[in-house]
Amino acid sequence: PHRSPSSTGPGRYLVGCPGNRITRPPIFSPGRSSTSGPGTVAALSAALLPYLAGIYGWRSAFLAFCFFALVAVMFFFLGEIFMRFFTANEVAIKEGAKCLNILSLGYIFFAYGMVLTQAFNGAGDTRTPTYINLCIYWAFQIPLAYLIAKYWNMGSTGVYVAINCAETALAIVSIIIFRRGKWKLVKV
């Protein structure tokens, strides 16, 4: 039978561990706010002032970078403390703290990828982020996570590493495409 990369070993019940759940509220609440703003600004500016839309996108990405860097430092150094708020199970605390430590290393890349792909959407270019997400998450992250976790025997650590690799790739691809500026030419 098929098993997920985290379905074996002492932490097998930790699929979707609390560490992964902890990363969602601080990232997706203020993080989502910081990404929908540049999307709206880009939509308004791209039609009238495409150059200004690009500046707003870069500034918003940098502000998100600063916020995510702060969260990353907190999660990296205080991961175990955060985990203790959610569970008393030592195995879950250890696994969650490991998740927070590894994922926090990729947060700065996550900021740029999230803001710039949202800016494409806001400017009316919905195809670019769709293709980026399909390639990065479905064609790259999932197979990489399976490869690292199962064939390199890294288990859940491999899954977390694959998430960071994918977020880094998403940021790099988004930066390259955003810099090219073809998204400014999309007519809505």
Side-chain angles (χ1 to χ4, degrees):
H2 174 72
R3 293 177 181 259
S4 71
S6 297
S7 65
T8 58
R12 67 182 166 272
Y13 59 90
L14 298 173
V15 175
C17 72
N20 193 28
R21 291 186 186 142
I22 289 172
T23 63
R24 299 307 178 216
I27 298 304
F28 288 114
S29 297
R32 279 290 175 210
S33 299
S34 68
T35 62
S36 57
T40 304
V41 170
L44 296 172
S45 302
L48 302 172
L49 304 167
Y51 174 75
L52 197 56
I55 290 173
Y56 290 152
W58 288 119
R59 284 187 183 166
S60 298
F62 179 73
L63 291 174
F65 165 86
C66 293
F67 171 75
F68 281 56
L70 176 66
V71 172
V73 169
M74 288 179 5
F75 282 171
F76 188 80
F77 290 107
L78 304 173
E80 188 173 326
I81 294 170
F82 281 113
M83 287 302 302
R84 292 193 183 281
F85 282 117
F86 293 93
T87 184
N89 182 313
E90 288 301 318
V91 175
I93 291 169
K94 184 178 176 186
E95 182 68 21
K98 177 174 71 171
C99 173
L100 291 174
N101 286 335
I102 294 171
L103 291 183
S104 68
L105 298 174
Y107 277 4
I108 55 174
F109 300 108
F110 187 64
Y112 272 92
M114 193 161 66
V115 169
L116 295 180
T117 55
Q118 196 63 22
F120 294 137
N121 278 327
D125 182 5
T126 57
R127 287 185 179 160
T128 299
T130 300
Y131 294 142
I132 291 173
N133 287 326
L134 282 172
C135 291
I136 298 296
Y137 293 124
W138 289 93
F140 178 65
Q141 180 181 320
I142 293 172
L144 182 64
Y146 191 79
L147 172 76
I148 295 174
K150 284 296 187 183
Y151 293 104
W152 293 353
N153 296 319
M154 290 182 65
S156 61
T157 300
V159 173
Y160 307 142
V161 168
I163 291 170
N164 278 346
C165 290
E167 294 299 343
T168 302
L170 178 78
I172 291 168
V173 168
S174 297
I175 288 169
I176 290 169
I177 294 172
F178 193 82
R179 200 169 269 191
R180 286 183 185 162
K182 290 184 182 178
W183 58 273
K184 297 176 189 175
L185 305 174
V186 173
K187 300 292 181 201
V188 182

